[in-house]
Amino acid sequence: MEKETSFGNVLIAQSGGPTMVINQSLVGVVLAAKASPKVKHVYGALHGIQGILDGTLIDLGKESSDTLEKVAVTPSSALGSVRRKPTAEDCAAILKIFHARNIKWFFYIGGNDSAETVKILSEHAAAAQSGVVCFHVPKTIDNDLRENDHTPGFGSAARFVASAVMGDDLDLRALGGVKIDIVMGRNAGFLAAAAALGRVEPDDGPHLIYLPERPFSPDAFVQDVSNIYKRLGRCVVVVSEGISDRDGVPYATKFLKEVDSHGNVQLSGSGALGDALVALLRARARPRIKRMRADTFGYLQRSFPGVASSVDSQEARAVGKAAFEAAASGQYASGSVAIKRLPGETYGVSYEVVPLAKVAKETKSMRDEFITPEGNNVTKAFLDYARPLIGELPVKGYLQAIPADD
Amino acid sequence: MEKETSFGNVLIAQSGGPTMVINQSLVGVVLAAKASPKVKHVYGALHGIQGILDGTLIDLGKESSDTLEKVAVTPSSALGSVRRKPTAEDCAAILKIFHARNIKWFFYIGGNDSAETVKILSEHAAAAQSGVVCFHVPKTIDNDLRENDHTPGFGSAARFVASAVMGDDLDLRALGGVKIDIVMGRNAGFLAAAAALGRVEPDDGPHLIYLPERPFSPDAFVQDVSNIYKRLGRCVVVVSEGISDRDGVPYATKFLKEVDSHGNVQLSGSGALGDALVALLRARARPRIKRMRADTFGYLQRSFPGVASSVDSQEARAVGKAAFEAAASGQYASGSVAIKRLPGETYGVSYEVVPLAKVAKETKSMRDEFITPEGNNVTKAFLDYARPLIGELPVKGYLQAIPADD
C-alpha cells in the first residue's frame, strides 16, 4: 500500500460569467479525479476563490453519478461564481488552506480573468514551493480566449443566438418593420456574428451585424438599415453590446451609467442600447419606418436550459478531463488547456496544455477575414469556422407560395 | 360524377401576433381540406385580410407534404400577418373576391381581434346570402380567449418562459443579486405566471410574480423584493408587461410613449419597463442591492424555434383539422373552435364549435384561485392547470453540496 503522503486532494472552483456547459467541465474534472488512484478527496469551493477564503468547501466525491450527470446538463455554475482578483494576502491565505487540506491540484474554470487569477496564485505557489499544481479550465461565451480555436460555452450561446435570430426573422416576416437584437460581447463580436448561422435563404436575416471590432458609425447604421428596409420591407439588425466609436468608447456609455467592480460600464441587464438605436432610427431613417422593436437577449443567451450545443457539451466535458490528466501527469506546475482545431475537412479538436501567461488577462477578437469589408456583416469564412460548433439548428421551412391561378 | 358547382374552394389566412405553433393550425386546415372530396382548391391569403383585398392569394394545394410538415414546425405565421379591422367596404370587396374565386369556406387563424374580424365578415356574408362559411381558428400566446380552457400558442410560449426563468434563476444563484424579467401579456398574466412552472426546489425562482390582474404598487414591490433578497441573497422577479395601477393605467406608460394602430401604448420591443423597475429598486430598496439586472424577453417568447411544447403542437394541428371538419359539415354558417378540457385525472381535451360572439373582442384574465392572496405569486391551482400544457421541461440538477469534513 502506498503511503498516505503520496495521495493528494483536488480542489475545483468556478469563476466569472456562467455558461450552459460550464458544469460539464466541472463534472469532467470530478469524474477523472474520482477515478484516479492518486486522489483521495475531491473538494469544491463555493463562489470561486471567495469560497476558499471563506472556508465554504464541499465534498464533491460524495455526489452520486446521477446527481453529477444532472448537474452536467444544468446551465450556470453549480459551485457558484465570483469576480475577484486575488491580492498577495489572499494568495497566502489560500496556500495555507491548500496545505492544511493537502490539496495538490487546483482547478479554476473560467475566462481570461480567471486564468489571470490562476496565474497569480501559481506564482505565489511556486515562490512558496508549495508543490500545488494550478490549472485553468477554459470557458466563456465570448469566445475570446487566446490560444483557443474556440472556447467551451461559446457553441451553446451561439446556438441560442442563431436560433433566437432565426425565430426573430420569421416573426418580422409576418408583420414587417425593423428589429434590433442586442447580443452579449464586450470586446469580441463572435456571439453577435453567430446570429448569421440561422440563415438559409438569401433574404433571411440577420441583414446587418455590428461588431465591437469595427468603429460604430450612427450615420452608416441609419443608412444601412434604411437601404435594407426599402428593399425588403423588413430588416433584422444584430448589434453587439460592445459596439464602440473610433476611440474605443462603448456607444452604450451614452445611455448607461452603472459601473461594475472592474470599473467597466455594465452593458448587460438593461435595454437602453436597443431603445437608443430605435430612437436614432425614429429620428433619422427616411423613409420613416412604421414598426420598430428592440430586444436585448441578456442573460438568456448564456444560461438557457435545453438548447446547449451537443458538440460544445462534449468538448466542455473533455476539457475538464484533459485538465485533470495534464495536472496529474506531474509534467506541469501550472497551465491551461486550450482547444485546437485539427486540420482537414472533417471537424475535430485536440486539447493542448499552454502556459497561463498565454491565455490570461488579454483577449482576442474576430479575425479580419471573418468581417465583410463594409464592417456590417460576417463572411463565409466565419460561417465555416463557427458552424461545426453549434450542433444542429432547428429545421425551418417556407411555403413555396405559388400564386393562385387567375 | 358530381357537378362542378357542388365543389368549392377554401381560403385560409393568419392574423395578429405570431406563435410557435400557428403554422400547425394552418397545416391542420390545409391537410384536412386537401383530403376532402368537397374541396377543389385550397388558397392562402398573404398578410390576413390585407392579402384578400390586395389579391395576393397563393395556392396551398400545390405545396408538397414535405414543405407543409417543415412549415408546421416553423415558428411565426407562414402566410404573414396583419392587424386590421375590416370596414363595411372591405367586407363587400372581400365577399366579391370570395364569389369570384368560388370560396365556400374561409378560415382565419388568430386571437380575439381576429375572431371579431371573422364575426364582422360573417355578418356581411349572411346579409348578402353568400353562403360562405366563416370560421375562426384560435391562437394566442396570451391564453386570454374566452370559451377556451387554453389556447394554441400558449403552451409553447409558456414553455419558453418557464425554461428561461429556470435558467435565469440558476444564473442568479452563481453571482447573486436581483433579476427582473419582463414577460408579454397586456391584460392577462398567464404567460408571466407560467414562469413558476420551472420551480423544483423550495427556494427556486421566480420568487415574485406581478400580474396585470392585480394593481401594481411600487411600495409593495420594493418591500417584497427587499424581503426576499434579505433572506436568500438573490431574488428573481417576473413582471408582466401589462402591470397597471388601480385605475388600470399600465405602469409602463410612465416611460413609454409609442402608440400602436389601436391606440394602445406599445409595451413590447423596449427594455424601458425593466430598466425603470431597476431604477426604482436602486432608489428605494434597503439594504442596498449590489447587483441588479433586467431582461425583457420580447419577441423571443413567441417565435423561438426548437422549444415548442409537444402538447401545444398537437393541439394546434388538431384545432385546424377540427375547424375544417366543422365548417365542411354544413351545420354552421360561422363559428370558432374552442379547446375544452375533459374532466378526470388524466389530461385530455375536446374541440367544440362555439359562436363567434363568445370569443370575439373581449378577453379573459387569470381566475382568482390562480393568484395568491398577496397578489405577488401564483397558486398550486394554477400550476396544476398549466403544467400539462407545456410538455416536459429540461432536467435540472443541484449538487448535494455536503460540507467537507474538517
Side-chain angles (χ1 to χ4, degrees):
Chain A
M1 195 180 151
E2 277 192 283
K3 279 190 295 178
E4 177 72 8
T5 49
S6 72
F7 293 87
N9 299 326
V10 161
L11 179 63
I12 314 167
Q14 295 171 315
S15 171
T19 80
M20 291 185 217
V21 299
I22 189 170
N23 294 331
Q24 291 281 6
S25 298
L26 169 64
V27 172
V29 180
V30 172
L31 293 181
K34 280 178 80 168
S36 167
K38 298 179 180 174
V39 175
K40 192 166 179 191
H41 294 294
V42 184
Y43 297 123
L46 301 182
H47 298 285
I49 58 168
Q50 189 66 50
I52 310 177
L53 294 165
D54 294 347
T56 50
L57 301 193
I58 63 169
D59 193 337
L60 289 167
K62 289 183 178 163
E63 304 287 343
S64 70
S65 304
D66 182 57
T67 296
L68 290 174
E69 291 302 333
K70 278 183 182 155
V71 167
V73 299
T74 301
S76 187
S77 314
L79 291 173
S81 192
V82 74
R83 293 186 190 279
R84 178 173 174 152
K85 191 172 167 175
T87 61
E89 293 71 41
D90 289 341
C91 290
I94 289 168
L95 290 176
K96 215 167 152 185
I97 293 159
F98 283 180
H99 182 73
R101 288 276 181 190
N102 194 27
I103 286 159
K104 292 191 176 170
W105 302 281
F106 173 60
F107 300 91
Y108 211 36
I109 311 171
N112 58 308
D113 285 335
S114 309
E116 175 70 4
T117 292
V118 181
K119 182 169 165 284
I120 292 168
L121 191 58
S122 71
E123 286 161 1
H124 281 82
Q129 295 185 301
S130 74
V132 180
V133 178
C134 298
F135 256 77
H136 167 250
V137 184
K139 76 83 211 164
T140 170
I141 64 166
D142 293 335
N143 201 35
D144 61 356
L145 285 185
R146 292 176 295 152
E147 291 289 318
N148 286 270
D149 175 74
H150 58 277
T151 54
F154 170 67
S156 296
R159 188 167 186 271
F160 180 92
V161 170
S163 300
V165 176
M166 180 198 280
D168 217 25
D169 183 52
L170 291 162
D171 195 285
L172 200 68
R173 281 172 184 269
L175 288 163
V178 168
K179 182 70 196 301
I180 295 171
D181 289 328
I182 309 292
V183 174
M184 279 184 172
R186 181 178 292 272
N187 300 310
F190 292 101
L191 206 50
L197 294 165
R199 290 183 198 143
V200 176
E201 300 295 330
D203 281 349
D204 284 357
H207 306 98
L208 295 164
I209 302 174
Y210 296 93
L211 306 161
E213 283 82 355
R214 294 289 178 269
F216 180 74
S217 154
D219 292 346
F221 169 78
V222 170
Q223 195 58 55
D224 290 347
V225 175
S226 301
N227 289 346
I228 305 270
Y229 180 71
K230 258 182 267 181
R231 182 163 65 83
L232 296 178
R234 74 181 206 287
C235 184
V236 176
V237 189
V238 169
V239 179
S240 174
E241 65 181 7
I243 52 164
S244 302
D245 65 18
R246 291 196 174 273
D247 301 320
V249 179
Y251 191 68
T253 53
K254 296 184 197 296
F255 329 106
L256 296 169
K257 288 180 187 69
E258 284 302 298
V259 172
D260 72 12
S261 54
H262 301 280
N264 297 316
V265 169
Q266 175 205 314
L267 299 179
S268 297
S270 159
L273 175 59
D275 291 353
L277 291 173
V278 166
L280 177 66
L281 291 175
R282 186 168 291 126
R284 295 183 41 198
R286 297 293 176 271
R288 295 182 75 86
I289 298 161
K290 276 164 73 176
R291 185 170 177 272
M292 288 188 284
R293 305 285 190 268
D295 279 333
T296 302
F297 291 175
Y299 293 85
L300 273 57
Q301 61 203 304
R302 72 182 192 192
S303 291
F304 200 92
V307 306
S309 151
S310 51
V311 177
D312 190 28
S313 301
Q314 288 157 21
E315 290 179 355
R317 176 77 70 108
V319 87
K321 183 167 183 265
F324 176 79
E325 286 171 355
S329 73
Q331 293 181 59
Y332 310 97
S334 69
S336 178
V337 174
I339 301 184
K340 305 284 185 180
R341 191 181 300 220
L342 299 174
E345 291 281 299
T346 314
Y347 175 77
V349 299
S350 65
Y351 305 95
E352 292 181 15
V353 177
V354 296
L356 287 166
K358 286 198 169 180
V359 293
K361 221 168 174 178
E362 277 156 47
T363 55
K364 69 172 185 183
S365 303
M366 296 258 287
R367 296 204 295 269
D368 287 345
E369 59 160 341
F370 287 170
I371 307 172
T372 58
E374 300 78 17
N376 61 11
N377 222 316
V378 297
T379 60
K380 182 175 177 297
F382 173 77
L383 297 173
D384 291 343
Y385 158 80
R387 203 176 301 282
L389 313 179
I390 63 168
E392 288 290 313
L393 282 182
V395 169
K396 68 174 163 182
Y398 293 114
L399 293 171
Q400 285 233 60
I402 299 157
D405 295 330
D406 284 330
Chain B
M1 192 182 152
E2 277 192 283
K3 280 191 294 177
E4 177 71 7
T5 50
S6 72
F7 292 88
N9 300 324
V10 161
L11 179 63
I12 314 167
Q14 295 172 314
S15 170
T19 80
M20 290 185 221
V21 299
I22 189 171
N23 294 331
Q24 291 282 5
S25 298
L26 169 64
V27 171
V29 180
V30 171
L31 292 181
K34 281 178 79 168
S36 168
K38 297 178 182 176
V39 175
K40 192 165 178 193
H41 293 294
V42 184
Y43 297 123
L46 301 182
H47 298 287
I49 58 168
Q50 190 66 50
I52 312 178
L53 293 165
D54 294 345
T56 49
L57 301 194
I58 63 169
D59 193 336
L60 289 167
K62 290 183 178 164
E63 303 288 343
S64 70
S65 304
D66 182 58
T67 296
L68 289 173
E69 290 304 333
K70 278 184 183 154
V71 167
V73 299
T74 301
S76 186
S77 314
L79 291 173
S81 192
V82 73
R83 295 188 190 277
R84 176 172 175 153
K85 191 172 169 176
T87 62
E89 292 71 41
D90 289 341
C91 290
I94 290 168
L95 290 176
K96 218 167 145 184
I97 292 158
F98 283 180
H99 183 73
R101 288 273 182 192
N102 194 28
I103 286 158
K104 291 190 176 171
W105 301 281
F106 173 60
F107 300 90
Y108 211 37
I109 310 170
N112 58 308
D113 285 335
S114 309
E116 176 70 2
T117 292
V118 181
K119 181 169 166 285
I120 292 167
L121 191 58
S122 72
E123 286 161 0
H124 281 81
Q129 295 185 300
S130 72
V132 180
V133 177
C134 298
F135 257 78
H136 168 249
V137 184
K139 78 83 211 163
T140 170
I141 64 166
D142 292 336
N143 202 34
D144 61 355
L145 285 185
R146 292 177 294 153
E147 292 289 319
N148 287 270
D149 176 75
H150 58 277
T151 55
F154 170 67
S156 296
R159 187 165 188 274
F160 180 92
V161 170
S163 300
V165 176
M166 179 200 280
D168 217 25
D169 184 51
L170 290 162
D171 195 286
L172 200 69
R173 281 173 184 269
L175 288 162
V178 169
K179 181 69 196 300
I180 296 172
D181 289 328
I182 309 293
V183 174
M184 278 185 172
R186 183 178 290 273
N187 301 308
F190 292 101
L191 206 49
L197 293 165
R199 287 183 200 142
V200 176
E201 299 296 329
D203 281 349
D204 284 356
H207 307 98
L208 296 164
I209 303 175
Y210 296 92
L211 307 161
E213 283 82 356
R214 294 289 180 269
F216 179 76
S217 154
D219 291 347
F221 168 79
V222 170
Q223 195 58 57
D224 290 347
V225 174
S226 300
N227 289 345
I228 305 269
Y229 180 72
K230 256 181 270 182
R231 182 162 64 82
L232 296 178
R234 77 182 204 286
C235 183
V236 175
V237 189
V238 170
V239 178
S240 174
E241 63 180 7
I243 53 164
S244 302
D245 65 19
R246 292 197 173 275
D247 301 320
V249 179
Y251 190 68
T253 55
K254 297 183 197 297
F255 329 106
L256 296 169
K257 287 178 187 72
E258 284 301 298
V259 172
D260 72 11
S261 55
H262 301 280
N264 296 317
V265 169
Q266 176 207 311
L267 299 179
S268 296
S270 159
L273 175 58
D275 290 352
L277 291 172
V278 165
L280 177 67
L281 290 174
R282 187 167 291 129
R284 295 181 43 196
R286 297 293 175 273
R288 295 183 74 87
I289 298 161
K290 274 165 70 177
R291 186 172 176 270
M292 289 189 283
R293 304 286 190 269
D295 279 333
T296 302
F297 290 176
Y299 292 86
L300 273 57
Q301 62 202 303
R302 72 182 191 192
S303 290
F304 200 92
V307 306
S309 150
S310 51
V311 178
D312 190 28
S313 300
Q314 288 157 22
E315 291 179 354
R317 177 75 71 108
V319 85
K321 182 167 184 265
F324 177 80
E325 286 169 355
S329 73
Q331 292 181 60
Y332 310 97
S334 69
S336 178
V337 173
I339 300 184
K340 305 284 184 180
R341 190 180 301 221
L342 299 174
E345 292 281 299
T346 314
Y347 174 77
V349 299
S350 64
Y351 305 95
E352 291 181 15
V353 177
V354 296
L356 287 165
K358 287 197 167 178
V359 293
K361 220 167 173 178
E362 277 157 45
T363 55
K364 69 172 185 183
S365 301
M366 296 260 288
R367 297 204 296 269
D368 286 345
E369 60 162 338
F370 287 169
I371 306 172
T372 58
E374 301 78 17
N376 59 12
N377 224 316
V378 298
T379 61
K380 183 175 176 301
F382 172 77
L383 297 173
D384 291 344
Y385 157 80
R387 203 175 300 280
L389 313 180
I390 62 166
E392 288 290 314
L393 282 182
V395 169
K396 68 174 164 183
Y398 293 113
L399 293 170
Q400 285 232 63
I402 299 156
D405 294 332
D406 284 329

